[in-house]
Amino acid sequence: MSAIGSIQRASAQEDAFAGPLDVLDALFRSSDAMIGREPLDAALLDLACTAIETFEIDGSSSSTYRALARLTPEFAQQTCDLLVMAFCQSGKEDVAALDDAALLCLVALLAIAGRSADAFAVLAGAEAARPAASFRKSAFVARCRLLGHSNGIAGLWLTGDVKDVGIDAARALVSDRPLDIAAHRALVRQSVATDALGAALDAMAVALALPLGDDDKAALAPDLAVLVAIIFAHAGHGAFAARHIRMALAANAATAARALAWLGKTDAPFARATGDRAMTEAAALLQRYANPRDAGSRSPYPMVNGKPHADTIWLEITNFCNQKCTFCPDMHREDARSWLPLDRIKALLDEIAATISVGSMQLNAYGEPLLHPNIAEILAYIREKRLAFPTFFTTHGMTLVPKKLAQLSNNYPSGIAVSLHNDSQESYAMTRSAKIGDYDTLVERLTALATQMVTERAPAHLRLYQMVSNGTEDMRVDPHVRSAFAPNVARFTEHLRKWEAIGAGIAAAAPASAQAEAIVNDDMRIARSFLEANHDDGIHLPILEWTDVHGGRQQAFFSPRPLGTYANLLLEYHPDWSVGRTVLNTEKCGFVAAPALAIFATGRLGICCLDLNSTATFTSLDDHASLADAMTSPAAAHMFAQVSNGVATSRGCQICLSSDTRLCSR
């Protein structure tokens, strides 16, 4: 709610009390001994009803508490008795009979009457039966007021070693000193002081994700203890469901243990303010992260049937590439060119199949997979393993010479994607090397692949990526490069129609058993696909269909994509651009939403296929007994905690997350 809205609401609540208070003032002036008199009883009950109405609007209303506080202890007790008689048939303080607003009014009256112990008891008894977050917050505020903390959290921090600098100054401190724990603690406390508990928890997660040691983070323990307890007092478990919060806690067992110890020795005011239920729940949460039961409980990868799950595994069998594209940073690679040996690839495939839950697997990151000297054996082994997940690879297409087509013959992965990208010889010459062929050569080789797949009834699809300039491309890319790609629907349509004609020729020559069918897309669908093209893979414009050897239908289809910079790595090397790097970023890595595993040809392990020089990695194949061990290791947990909270320590992540335009989200 805005500040103006809060002021207007408070003013309206003050106005609501005007009538009952005027009556009370008149009665108070007319006699010094009005207790038990009917006119006063009616006025006091009217005041209580008005208080209940305002508590229904806002259970933590300051104006409501201020109005009730004008009562003397005697009149507060009399109002309390009247409230019980009016709302409780038994005539006793039966909290179960009261709704939330009436109960809060009763608690306030008990406190004013000098019965704070009874007020605490009423709240304690009510909370177990009232799980709603709205009541939790109101009860917390009520307890704080009973303890004399009118603004809720003030005075409840377990240590007083953090300066009260104001929220704007706290944000500035974090920006100026991103690795200063004291600055982050100040931001956490100031966020709580402004009732922004979500922002406070986000700030705490960032602090926990900092690239500092356990001893450096020890100072966070009391703040974490208080914050967790207060959040449970306000709303319960929901606030801790966010993945970036869970990742930060999972990567900081030592800090969670210290916070748990602080929670166990908290002073009486703090414990009474948060309430028994919140303290118990807070302790259980901290205990969970302080003492993980097994590797799976700290794993950044979700566990499926006892196995860490990767939505995608990028197995970069080689990082060699024989094409030089002006829109790709691979030509600036600093890592040594290499490939994984066949025996190691087979061992990895065996291990992945047995110990990892996998959504899909790609046989490349930046490298050209068809350049691996054992690509035929690799694909054959994948087919023999009958993996429970689909396997794909992406090629630039110029490697589809007769020898490679023969290696692919009846030896296909689940799908092949081709970086067609260009739509003419002019476009090709502007963006790609002519040493290994031209645009017409690329068309010939892709046509040969599609013909072979249809003729052999391949149980695999064929995706043709084409780059477009549809207004969502990265405008920082060299204008000459951007101009090479289709800038409008008409040009994109013209190229698609060319490939529809190629598809028609393949279908006409295909054997009858393939049941091949050429497909023509309507103009409206083509236009929408061009305009809506983004960096996802959801757009399919089919040009050819066939029936595979298993009886399923397969497609060759177009997928338009806007020109990007591959996680901005291209800009790292471009002479006209400089990429700023910061440790703390508002951007967060998109690859943690569906956790992935990248196994680079260098042997390094990371979570992102876009990390050109494998700098954004957390370990290597040789550092752990198994992939499952690596995926559930503290190193993996720390990396996920960092990038899911915008903390970038590696060069690759800093280039991507620090940029004005993030292109690695999925």
Side-chain angles (χ1 to χ4, degrees), residues 596-666:
L597 174 68
I599 306 172
F600 292 103
T602 59
R604 296 291 299 171
L605 302 179
I607 65 173
C608 171
C609 67
L610 301 176
D611 183 23
L612 177 64
N613 291 305
S614 57
T615 65
T617 54
F618 57 87
T619 190
S620 69
L621 285 171
D622 297 328
D623 291 339
H624 299 273
S626 67
L627 279 175
D629 286 345
M631 294 171 71
T632 57
S633 68
H638 279 288
M639 183 168 188
F640 272 85
Q642 288 174 357
V643 297
S644 64
N645 283 285
V647 178
T649 58
S650 68
R651 177 183 172 193
C653 292
Q654 286 181 348
I655 293 171
C656 183
L657 298 184
S658 299
S659 171
D660 294 331
T661 303
R662 190 180 89 196
L663 296 174
C664 72
S665 62
R666 303 201 297 178

Side-chain angles (χ1 to χ4, degrees), residues 158-222:
L158 301 180
T159 63
D161 57 341
V162 177
K163 293 183 179 179
D164 185 358
V165 295
I167 188 67
D168 292 335
R171 292 193 185 108
L173 280 174
V174 168
S175 178
D176 293 341
R177 307 201 301 261
L179 297 181
D180 185 352
I181 287 293
H184 289 270
R185 294 179 68 199
L187 181 57
V188 169
R189 294 193 179 196
Q190 291 303 315
S191 298
V192 172
T194 57
D195 203 27
L197 292 185
L201 192 53
D202 287 342
M204 176 59 72
V206 170
L208 290 171
L210 293 176
L212 300 172
D214 290 339
D215 290 342
D216 294 314
K217 295 179 183 177
L220 289 170

